[in-house]
Amino acid sequence: MGPKKGGKLASKKKPEKVVNPLFEKRPKQFGIGGALPPKRDLHRFVKWPKVVQIQRKKRILKQRLKVPPALNQFTKTLDKNLATSLFKLLLKYRPEDTAEKKERLLKRAQAEAEGKTVEAKKPINVKYGLNHVTYLIEQNKAQLVVIAHDVDPIELVVWLPALCRKMEIPYCIVKGKSRLGSIVHKKTAAALCLTTVKNEDKLEFSKILEAIKANFNDKFDEYRKKWGGGIMGSKSQAKTKAKERVLAKEAAQRMT
């Protein structure tokens, strides 16, 4: 006969742990004067510098508050692959630094001293400086405008995409004013522009322009209507979801 229903099954005996008498078990006491407590993650308790605190609070505020479309467009930056190929092209047209300029002027002075005629060809370089870039856009001389996404205050460049679209000049927003600054031997740069390129780079440049036009100029009307921000924290989201569940439950009860 099988075991009766509801009867207790025989409990399995646990094998006794063999204790070595040579090693005495001494549990740690973490009280006052006792053992040191184990290391914990004290990241939340660190008193961060004021600059870091402001940066973090600003970042969270930008997520929480509603951001108007004119500012929200600066969150839509160029994708990584296209940005890499763009920066490779821009590096070919870096303006000369102080050492190169000094060397060029020295050679020119020596040539003039020897009585030789020096042909001074205007170099093809990346143009920088907000006023200079704006002038080139207004004169319709710029072929491509590159704007940094993290210019502070943002009001310096917030109108630049609208001007580029009005003048039908391709523009793009890239990550990092410091990346733009490194191209022109500066710490930072708000905007750069190219007026022309060499013949060997024209094919590559036209491909980049097509991709940029599709991502920015053609999507201007779409970005003009999109608001940003309004992303609440995890606690607020959990509370709103709980409220929604309660309301849905009440509505279902009313229906029955």
Side-chain angles (χ1 to χ4, degrees), residues 80-164:
K80 196 178 177 182
N81 294 333
L82 194 55
T84 308
S85 56
L86 174 64
F87 276 97
K88 275 182 184 176
L89 182 72
L90 290 174
L91 282 168
K92 290 180 182 178
Y93 297 96
R94 287 183 91 180
E96 60 184 6
D97 59 1
T98 47
E100 287 170 355
K101 187 180 180 182
K102 191 178 177 182
E103 193 182 334
R104 178 174 60 81
L105 292 173
L106 198 68
K107 283 178 181 176
R108 186 178 168 183
Q110 284 172 354
E112 282 177 359
E114 288 168 10
K116 292 176 182 176
T117 54
V118 181
E119 286 184 20
K121 276 187 178 180
K122 197 177 180 183
I124 300 167
N125 285 338
V126 173
K127 310 294 179 187
Y128 63 99
L130 202 53
N131 287 342
H132 187 39
V133 169
T134 309
Y135 173 77
L136 291 169
I137 295 166
E138 285 170 349
Q139 297 296 312
N140 223 347
K141 288 179 181 176
Q143 286 189 11
L144 172 66
V145 178
V146 186
I147 309 161
H149 87 298
D150 57 347
V151 178
D152 191 37
I154 197 71
E155 286 82 6
L156 290 171
V157 292
V158 80
W159 45 270
L160 210 50
L163 179 66
C164 290

Side-chain angles (χ1 to χ4, degrees), residues 176-195:
K177 57 186 177 184
S178 55
R179 282 176 83 193
L180 293 185
S182 65
I183 288 168
V184 292
H185 311 290
K186 302 282 178 190
K187 281 184 183 177
T188 56
L192 304 179
C193 92
L194 275 170
T195 50

